[in-house]
Amino acid sequence: MLFTDERTFVASDLILASLVCQIIGGLVGAAAIDRLGRKPVLQAGAWLCLLSNILLSIYFSTVDSQHNCPTKPGSILCWTPAVATCIFFFGFGGGLGNVFFVLLGELVPAQSSSTIVPVVTFFLNTLQFVVIKTFLTFANIVGTTNLFFIQAGMNIFFLFGQAAWIPETKVTKDSLEENISCDNSASYGTFVPSNVSVNRYSLARDRQEEDLDIVLNSTQFVVTVSKRE
């Protein structure tokens, strides 16, 4: 067990606090995704996880073999593991634990999602189970301080990976206006033939600076965006 010193906080209370932080982080991340974009939220979560691992690595480098805090109970150092753990779950809940599945739904082709999404989810759950079962074993082999330091290095690699490989899927206002200005005519698409008949209907929405008209029938759809003079 990592947090055996209960003079400052109890491990069971820390577990509850961590779950609450993860839920709050998930809510904050969900609210920030459409405002800031997927990549910034993902990177912010990774930076918080990196900070947490660095704090935990520093803390465990100061404790004795029984993981007892060397300073007076209630001091800043003794509260460090609790704060760092909550920071990690907040960052994970708002970052990787939240944005990953958003990106998965957006980047995986629709025709392959029924196969790829369950496989990826199963792989992640299996990996999480393996990490939980082997964490203390690796901690005894390489040392708790070194293990959190290794995790910090993995977070740094993850940050570089995000910058290099993760696309930004948020549609910006500038790109949207550019697309509209380039072509104000109707946009056409074709439906796959189906035995189900769809009645033709038209939907017009009144917006501040433009009119949107959507016409749909059983064979094609037409979207017309026209700017007001």
Side-chain angles (χ1 to χ4, degrees), residues 84-105:
T85 302
C86 289
I87 290 176
F88 179 88
F89 278 92
F90 181 86
F92 179 82
L96 182 61
N98 194 359
V99 182
F100 175 81
F101 292 99
V102 175
L103 289 173
L104 190 64

Side-chain angles (χ1 to χ4, degrees), residues 5 7-8 59 62-63 68-79:
D5 190 354
R7 294 175 298 172
T8 301
Y59 170 77
T62 65
V63 300
N68 292 319
C69 182
T71 59
K72 181 180 178 180
S75 64
I76 295 177
L77 180 62
C78 293
W79 275 109

